[in-house]
Coordinates of all heavy atoms in Angstrom, one line a residue:
P211 N -13.9 10.4 -4.6 CA -13.0 11.4 -5.0 C -13.7 12.8 -5.3 O -14.8 12.8 -5.7 CB -12.4 10.8 -6.3 CG -13.5 9.9 -6.8 CD -14.1 9.4 -5.6
M212 N -12.9 13.8 -5.2 CA -13.3 15.1 -5.8 C -13.2 15.1 -7.3 O -14.1 15.5 -8.0 CB -12.5 16.3 -5.2 CG -12.6 16.4 -3.7 SD -11.5 17.8 -3.1 CE -12.3 19.2 -3.9
Q213 N -12.1 14.5 -7.8 CA -11.9 14.4 -9.2 C -10.9 13.3 -9.5 O -10.0 13.1 -8.8 CB -11.3 15.8 -9.7 CG -11.1 15.8 -11.2 CD -10.5 17.1 -11.7 OE1 -9.3 17.2 -11.6 NE2 -11.3 18.0 -12.1
I214 N -11.2 12.6 -10.6 CA -10.4 11.6 -11.1 C -10.1 11.9 -12.6 O -11.0 12.2 -13.3 CB -10.9 10.1 -11.0 CG1 -10.9 9.7 -9.6 CG2 -10.1 9.2 -11.8 CD1 -11.5 8.2 -9.4
K215 N -8.8 11.9 -12.9 CA -8.4 12.0 -14.3 C -7.6 10.9 -14.7 O -6.5 10.6 -14.1 CB -7.7 13.4 -14.5 CG -7.4 13.6 -16.0 CD -6.7 15.0 -16.2 CE -6.3 15.2 -17.7 NZ -5.6 16.4 -17.8
I216 N -8.0 10.2 -15.7 CA -7.1 9.1 -16.3 C -6.9 9.3 -17.7 O -7.8 9.4 -18.5 CB -7.9 7.7 -16.2 CG1 -8.2 7.4 -14.7 CG2 -7.0 6.6 -16.8 CD1 -9.0 6.1 -14.4
G217 N -5.6 9.5 -18.1 CA -5.3 10.0 -19.4 C -5.8 11.4 -19.6 O -5.5 12.3 -18.8
E218 N -6.6 11.5 -20.6 CA -7.3 12.8 -20.8 C -8.8 12.9 -20.4 O -9.5 13.8 -20.7 CB -7.2 13.2 -22.3 CG -5.8 13.3 -22.8 CD -5.0 14.4 -22.1 OE1 -5.6 15.5 -21.8 OE2 -3.8 14.2 -21.8
I219 N -9.2 11.7 -19.8 CA -10.6 11.6 -19.4 C -10.8 12.1 -18.0 O -10.1 11.7 -17.1 CB -11.1 10.2 -19.6 CG1 -10.7 9.6 -20.9 CG2 -12.6 10.1 -19.3 CD1 -11.4 10.4 -22.1
I220 N -11.8 13.0 -17.7 CA -12.0 13.5 -16.4 C -13.4 13.2 -15.9 O -14.3 13.2 -16.6 CB -11.8 15.1 -16.4 CG1 -10.4 15.5 -16.8 CG2 -12.1 15.7 -15.1 CD1 -10.2 17.0 -17.0
A221 N -13.4 12.8 -14.6 CA -14.7 12.6 -13.9 C -14.6 13.3 -12.6 O -13.7 13.3 -11.9 CB -15.0 11.1 -13.7
R222 N -15.7 14.1 -12.3 CA -15.7 14.9 -11.0 C -16.6 14.2 -10.0 O -17.3 13.2 -10.3 CB -16.1 16.3 -11.3 CG -15.1 17.0 -12.1 CD -15.6 18.5 -12.4 NE -14.6 19.2 -13.2 CZ -14.3 19.2 -14.5 NH1 -15.1 18.3 -15.2 NH2 -13.3 19.9 -15.0
S223 N -16.7 14.8 -8.8 CA -17.4 14.1 -7.7 C -18.9 13.9 -8.1 O -19.5 12.9 -7.7 CB -17.3 14.9 -6.5 OG -17.8 16.3 -6.7
S224 N -19.5 14.8 -8.8 CA -20.9 14.7 -9.2 C -21.1 13.5 -10.2 O -22.2 13.0 -10.2 CB -21.4 15.9 -9.9 OG -20.6 16.3 -11.0
D225 N -20.0 13.1 -10.9 CA -20.1 12.0 -11.8 C -19.8 10.6 -11.1 O -20.4 9.6 -11.5 CB -19.1 12.1 -12.9 CG -19.3 13.5 -13.6 OD1 -20.4 13.9 -13.9 OD2 -18.3 14.2 -14.0
V226 N -18.8 10.7 -10.2 CA -18.4 9.4 -9.6 C -18.6 9.2 -8.2 O -18.2 8.2 -7.6 CB -16.9 9.2 -10.0 CG1 -16.7 9.2 -11.5 CG2 -16.0 10.2 -9.3
G227 N -19.2 10.2 -7.5 CA -19.3 10.1 -6.0 C -20.2 8.9 -5.6 O -21.1 8.6 -6.2
T228 N -19.8 8.3 -4.5 CA -20.5 7.2 -4.0 C -21.5 7.6 -2.9 O -21.3 8.6 -2.3 CB -19.6 6.2 -3.3 OG1 -18.8 6.8 -2.3 CG2 -18.6 5.6 -4.4
K229 N -22.6 6.9 -2.8 CA -23.6 7.3 -1.9 C -23.3 6.7 -0.5 O -22.7 5.6 -0.3 CB -25.0 6.6 -2.3 CG -25.5 7.2 -3.6 CD -26.8 6.6 -3.9 CE -27.4 7.2 -5.2 NZ -28.7 6.6 -5.6
I230 N -23.5 7.6 0.5 CA -23.1 7.2 1.9 C -24.5 7.1 2.7 O -25.3 8.0 2.7 CB -22.2 8.2 2.5 CG1 -20.9 8.3 1.7 CG2 -21.9 7.8 4.0 CD1 -20.0 9.4 2.3
T231 N -24.6 5.9 3.3 CA -25.8 5.7 4.1 C -25.6 6.3 5.4 O -24.6 5.9 6.2 CB -26.1 4.2 4.2 OG1 -26.2 3.6 2.9 CG2 -27.4 3.9 5.0

Side-chain angles (χ1 to χ4, degrees):
M212 296 178 65
Q213 183 183 83
I214 288 180
K215 182 178 180 181
I216 301 177
E218 299 300 323
I219 310 300
I220 299 176
R222 295 177 174 82
S223 57
S224 58
D225 304 318
V226 300
T228 56
K229 295 182 179 179
I230 300 176
T231 301

